[in-house]
């Protein structure tokens, strides 16, 4: 099967309903004292100083701390959300390291360095865990790992989903950096975003053999928690430490936003039918009120009026703005106000449309 087919299959398979679990917050156990030690920046390997976060080649998880409690800080809630999300990304790569080997990727037609790169990215993500834990104050809970389930069974579907995750995380981080108040926190998040971009550039060039340049600006999507909310289906219900905060916090529990299963193209200018996934969590449209599909690309957004009076008997149809170039990523929401100027104006979404390596599908996961 060709790379294009596999990418499309992976993305379109992710358009369905996503039941959002509510991870709840780290059990005090015998491991707590060890976690306290590991969360101390002077204990054990330090990201940026110890090569283990780049050059560890074992299959067992890269050494990293789990969690600990600490004092409330001005940006603690943002870092808690980011740490909880990072556990998902770390486990995404860790499970692949355990499931596959060098021969797995070579047999799938990938470069012979692919498994090594996957482990190196896994190591980077372990370093991110440590960095995020150290950013959380001593009296705030440091979310611990849950159990996770990922919809990949082979190297191709793993790398396709990884492409979706990495490119989407770049749009997510542009929103998250707007939530923090300390300049040091903004700088740290920018540094992490740059690392995630390198991961994505590697995949686009080495794996998919496409142009990695995404235009003059990556996409700015202002509501990071809305992106995080769409990852809840990856968390095994009931598997999180009992003291973990709700993920994300606050959580709007928005309906999912995707495209109908018969969608043929998601390139700019394409007309699509919107789908909202989970039948138990559908948007509510007030009669006589105008709603909009708002598409974010680069540093701008374009609002397209939609007709909702006959929904759900009739699909909601919208044309993706043809003004956008086929580069990078487009984030879409349904809103009750042009431009979706506040998170409260968002009715459903976000959906993520990848334009590279080809239009994959709407929805992060």
């Amino acid at each position: 099967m060709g790379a294009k087919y596999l990418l499309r299959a992976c993305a379109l398979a992710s358009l369905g309903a996503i039941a959002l679990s509510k991870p709840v917050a780290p059990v005090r156990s015998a491991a707590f004292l060890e976690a306290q030690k590991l969360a101390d920046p002077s204990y054990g390997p330090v990201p940026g100083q110890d090569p283990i976060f780049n050059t560890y080649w074992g299959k067992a998880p890269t050494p990293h701390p789990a969690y600990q409690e600490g004092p409330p800080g001005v940006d603690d809630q943002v870092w808690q959300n980011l740490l909880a999300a990072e556990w998902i990304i770390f486990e995404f790569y860790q499970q692949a390291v355990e499931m596959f080997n060098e021969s797995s990727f070579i047999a799938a037609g990938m470069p012979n360095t692919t498994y090594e790169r996957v482990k190196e990215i896994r190591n980077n993500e372990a370093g991110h865990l440590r960095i995020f834990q150290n950013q959380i104050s001593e009296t705030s809970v440091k979310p611990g790992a849950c159990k996770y389930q990922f919809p990949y069974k082979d190297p191709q579907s793993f790398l396709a989903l990884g492409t979706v995750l990495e490119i989407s995380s770049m749009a997510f981080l542009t929103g998250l950096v707007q939530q923090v108040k300390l300049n040091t926190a903004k700088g740290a998040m920018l540094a992490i975003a740059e690392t995630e971009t390198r991961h994505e550039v590697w995949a686009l060039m080495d794996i998919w053999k496409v142009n990695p340049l995404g235009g003059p600006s990556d996409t700015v999507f202002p509501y990071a928690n809305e992106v995080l909310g769409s990852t809840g289906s990856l968390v095994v219900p009931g598997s999180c430490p009992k003291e973990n905060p709700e993920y994300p916090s606050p959580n709007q529990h928005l309906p999912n936003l995707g495209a109908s299963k018969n969608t043929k193209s998601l390139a700019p200018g394409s007309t699509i039918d919107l789908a909202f996934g989970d039948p138990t969590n559908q948007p509510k449209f007030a009669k006589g009120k105008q709603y909009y599909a708002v598409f974010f690309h680069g540093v701008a957004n374009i609002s397209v009026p939609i007709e909702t009076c006959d929904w759900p008997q009739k699909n909601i149809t919208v044309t993706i703005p043809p003004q956008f170039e086929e580069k990078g990523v487009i984030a879409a929401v349904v809103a009750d106000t042009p431009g979706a100027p506040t998170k409260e104006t968002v009715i459903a979404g976000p959906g993520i449309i990848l334009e590279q390596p080809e239009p994959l599908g709407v929805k992060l996961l």
Side-chain angles (χ1 to χ4, degrees), residues 184-329:
T184 52
K186 294 176 182 178
M189 288 185 185
L190 176 60
I192 298 301
E194 289 173 339
T195 298
E196 302 295 353
T197 300
R198 290 190 182 97
H199 297 167
E200 179 60 21
V201 168
W202 163 75
L204 292 175
M205 293 184 70
D206 264 22
I207 303 302
W208 309 121
K209 312 297 183 185
V210 298
N211 179 1
L213 303 182
S217 169
D218 281 319
T219 294
V220 176
F221 182 73
Y223 311 126
N225 282 21
E226 293 180 356
V227 178
L228 292 184
S230 65
T231 66
S233 65
L234 299 178
V235 181
V236 176
S239 69
C240 295
K242 292 181 180 179
E243 291 179 23
N244 275 17
E246 180 185 24
Y247 170 75
S249 179
N251 190 341
Q252 293 172 268
H253 301 289
L254 292 173
N256 305 310
L257 177 62
S260 63
K261 292 182 179 179
N262 61 356
T263 300
K264 302 300 182 184
S265 174
L266 287 153
S270 299
T271 298
I272 62 173
D273 290 337
L274 300 182
F276 301 102
D278 184 356
T280 67
N281 187 18
Q282 296 285 290
K284 295 178 176 61
F285 298 110
K287 289 184 178 181
K289 186 176 180 64
Q290 181 63 64
Y291 294 89
Y292 305 84
V294 184
F295 296 89
F296 296 79
H297 184 63
V299 295
N301 66 64
I302 295 176
S303 298
V304 181
I306 56 175
E307 181 57 66
T308 61
C309 62
D310 294 326
W311 183 86
Q313 288 75 27
K314 184 178 178 181
N315 288 339
I316 298 173
T317 300
V318 67
T319 299
I320 300 171
Q323 298 95 317
F324 293 148
E325 60 180 346
E326 293 188 36
K327 291 279 189 179
V329 62

Side-chain angles (χ1 to χ4, degrees), residues 114-169:
T114 302
Y115 187 54
E116 185 177 87
R117 292 290 82 78
V118 169
K119 286 195 285 188
E120 191 169 1
I121 293 173
R122 181 272 314 264
N123 296 343
N124 287 176
E125 305 298 357
H128 294 170
L129 288 171
R130 182 66 177 270
I131 291 168
F132 300 160
Q133 287 162 330
N134 290 341
Q135 292 287 335
I136 299 172
S137 303
E138 293 180 0
T139 57
S140 291
V141 171
K142 301 192 179 188
C146 309
K147 293 182 180 178
Y148 309 99
Q149 50 193 2
F150 301 103
Y152 63 77
K153 297 181 179 179
D154 52 46
Q156 294 98 328
S157 58
F158 158 71
L159 289 166
L161 182 54
T163 300
V164 176
L165 287 171
E166 294 287 0
I167 233 172
S168 300
S169 71

